[in-house]
Amino acid sequence: MTENVITTKDLVKTYQMGDIQVHALRGLSLEIKRGEVVAIVGPSGSGKSTLMNILGCLDRPSSGEYRLDHVPVAGMADDQLAEIRNRKVGFIFQSFNLLSRATALSNVELPLRYAGNIAGRRQIAEQALAAVGLEQRIDHKPYELSGGQQQRVAIARALVNDPAIIIADEPTGNLDSKVGQEIMDLLMSLNREKGVTLIIVTHDPKVAARAGRIIRIIDGVVEAAQ
Amino acid sequence: MNLTQILFEALESLNSNKMRSGLTILGIIIGVAAVIAMLAVGSGAQNEITGSINDFGTNLLFIFSGNEQVEVRNPRPLTLKDAEAIGDPFFAPSVGLAAPSINGKHIVTAGGKETSVAVNGITASYAPVRNEVVGEGEFISEAHVFERASVAVIGPETAEALFGRQTGLLGETIRIEGQPFRIIGVLEAKGGTMMGSQDDRILIPLSTAQSRLEQRDTIDTVDVIFIQAVSSEAVLQASEEVAQVLRTRHRTAIGMDDFTIYTQDDFLSTAESITGILTIFLGGIAAISLLVGGIGIMNIMLVSVIERTREIGLRKALGARKNDILIQFLAESSLLSLLGGFIGILLGWALSFLIEKISIAMGSPFYPSITLDSVLLATIFSLVVGLFFGIYPSNRAASLQPVEALRYE
Ligand SMILES: Nc1ncnc2c1ncn2[C@@H]1O[C@H](COP(=O)(O)OP(=O)(O)OP(=O)(O)O)[C@@H](O)[C@H]1O
Ligand SMILES: [Mg+2]
């Protein structure tokens, strides 16, 4: 029995839109173990992205508890959260979110800069790019790369600080299914080789099928865990 | 991160968006260059005018007989004795030198040419008091005054009018009202002033003028007494002392002075109020160009904020703290502002230089003068504008939750 890397209890997220309150999460509890591959599925608007943003410490819940790597995250100051994002979390976005004017290498180096890591930065970033099969493209700008290659750069960037979890919100959503499967192959192999915990939001059943576990979210709560 | 690394990354970032950086710099350059050139023209004009007033002499006071403010009964003229008393350090310790002069306009002939010229009867102290310099020959000495010598020092314009040249005139004879005078010196050119040309006149010994040229009821009467105070701080004190001496000698009642004293400062302050208006006017134009430049900077900074907000969101998602973001933008903005300010200073200097060259080519030389004040003003302003409009939006973006900044459109 391995330990939990993520534990949430009664997460609530409410958005105030003028007079209307939007309840994106309504008391969501879940547990994810270290080294797991979890797919998060559910209808559009059910709160998947909201949950991912909270799990990745990009946003704060309105109420509820969240422990990441045994650390209660809810009450932390902004700068402490920044450090958690930097060291414990790797993000992969649907729209890649690379700095368009920087090279692949500079993009991958970015998390290392904020980790205060100066010596050997370039080498570490090069290794991460090699790990995603892009050693030939380190000096390319994002617009000189295909969508799949851009997502590989994003994966290298997510990996570079050796995070405990990788959070991917529809990582294959902007890619065709063949390239999407290649990206999934890559993520799965990273999970196998480095033991990194993967949490993937997806609408694609083929992607979800590769996960060890599927969590279905409906209307801001977990419907069933298998 | 250390400073060189921060600067290096700021350079990298500016370099990767050349268009935006260039436009921002352009706004700063135009603003700074305009301010520097405008203020240089203003202070150039000021120097010109105060310079020509200082050519009159240094620490100078003028005493005229008569008083325009009050009606004085039985006014007494200024006399040589008055000048002697004023020049006496016992009565007026703040007075360095007193130079009486009598002024007339006379017909002068030489070699068949004739001209009507101001002829001033003066003493030896006139030269130091009025900053007169002879280019050729010598000035009128005390001996000349004592002997009532028939000698003359002539202005360069007068020399040109009578002889067609300004050199080789020593020993030539001119006739003032038919009486022969030997030329012993030619003055150096001073240029025109508000009081007319100082280059078209003839100086002769005061005693000679009294006895030969002027038919006056009182032989001792003089028209003006020029006074040089011992120092620039002593000018007002000298004015007081002179008034005291004259009141005693003329036995005038209080407030019924039959003479008037002007200081050089009276002229200077009038001139300065005129050039002050000019400088304010030019400064106003410059301020408008700075404002326009500032608005340009602001526009570009704000337009790029959408792109930058997403960038900030991403950087925060990857672990940047608020300070990391602020330092980055501070470094970028200050680099831009300083670079723009530097180029602007060079351009403003080049503009002033161009104005100088054009004015010289057009025959009316004018020398703009760049002051440290204007450089500081322009640099500080552009720095503040650049920093404010660079930092303000990024500070707002950096305070957002990363997810909000990432969603920003
Ligand atoms: N910033 C926001 N302000 C207001 N309402 C929001 C905001 N973000 C999300 N919501 C609302 O919260 C609910 C959940 O949104 P969320 O983006 O988490 O859905 P999702 O499951 O990711 O959907 P999709 O599969 O389409 O990406 C939706 O009703 C959405 O309208
Ligand atoms: Mg979503």
Side-chain angles (χ1 to χ4, degrees), chain A residues 10 34 58 73 79 91 160 179 182:
Chain A
D10 296 329
R34 194 176 297 283
L58 292 178
V73 170
D79 282 357
F91 284 100
V160 77
V179 177
E182 283 169 21

Side-chain angles (χ1 to χ4, degrees), chain A residues 21-48:
Chain A
Q21 287 199 327
V22 180
H23 301 281
L25 298 179
R26 321 165 173 254
L28 186 148
S29 304
L30 58 72
E31 294 180 359
I32 293 171
K33 297 200 190 323
R34 194 176 297 283
E36 259 194 301
V37 178
V38 176
I40 298 198
V41 300
S44 188
S46 55
K48 303 183 295 293

Side-chain angles (χ1 to χ4, degrees), chain A:
Chain A
M1 193 67 201
T2 42
E3 41 151 7
N4 285 347
V5 70
I6 284 177
T7 314
T8 77
K9 220 172 152 198
D10 296 329
L11 280 186
V12 172
K13 181 74 186 180
T14 310
Y15 292 106
Q16 191 75 43
M17 301 277 291
D19 292 343
I20 311 162
Q21 287 199 327
V22 180
H23 301 281
L25 298 179
R26 321 165 173 254
L28 186 148
S29 304
L30 58 72
E31 294 180 359
I32 293 171
K33 297 200 190 323
R34 194 176 297 283
E36 259 194 301
V37 178
V38 176
I40 298 198
V41 300
S44 188
S46 55
K48 303 183 295 293
S49 295
T50 306
L51 174 65
M52 294 312 245
N53 290 335
I54 291 172
L55 293 185
C57 301
L58 292 178
D59 206 356
R60 295 166 182 276
S62 307
S63 69
E65 272 177 45
Y66 171 31
R67 284 169 175 274
L68 172 60
D69 229 2
H70 308 300
V71 184
V73 170
M76 281 190 168
D78 282 348
D79 282 357
Q80 280 176 301
L81 283 183
E83 200 175 322
I84 298 261
R85 287 194 292 272
N86 184 254
R87 296 184 186 281
K88 301 213 164 167
V89 186
F91 284 100
I92 301 168
F93 302 92
Q94 179 174 356
S95 53
F96 320 137
N97 271 347
L98 300 174
L99 285 184
S100 56
R101 299 177 195 284
T103 61
L105 188 71
S106 299
N107 268 292
V108 175
E109 272 186 32
L110 217 48
L112 294 170
R113 284 188 191 181
Y114 296 122
N117 183 343
I118 296 170
R121 207 160 75 183
R122 190 190 158 93
Q123 230 170 344
I124 298 172
E126 279 174 0
Q127 281 166 9
L129 277 168
V132 299
L134 284 181
E135 55 272 69
Q136 305 296 326
R137 297 280 187 277
I138 55 173
D139 285 327
H140 286 54
K141 302 259 175 83
Y143 57 82
E144 297 162 339
L145 297 170
S146 73
Q149 286 170 331
Q150 289 185 49
Q151 197 61 299
R152 283 168 189 268
V153 175
I155 292 170
R157 183 179 65 188
L159 276 177
V160 77
N161 262 352
D162 268 331
I165 59 171
I166 284 189
I167 288 179
D169 193 347
E170 303 189 38
T172 61
N174 281 10
L175 306 171
D176 66 35
S177 66
K178 177 170 167 290
V179 177
Q181 285 302 328
E182 283 169 21
I183 292 295
M184 278 309 294
D185 292 344
L186 177 61
L187 287 173
M188 295 304 291
S189 73
L190 289 172
N191 169 258
R192 271 196 312 276
E193 285 156 24
K194 304 202 173 195
V196 61
T197 311
L198 276 181
I199 306 162
I200 303 169
V201 172
T202 183
H203 285 287
D204 184 345
K206 271 194 262 171
V207 170
R210 304 184 62 166
R213 177 157 72 108
I214 295 177
I215 296 177
R216 184 173 299 277
I217 292 183
I218 291 177
D219 245 354
V221 291
V222 175
E223 188 211 46
Q226 290 137 22

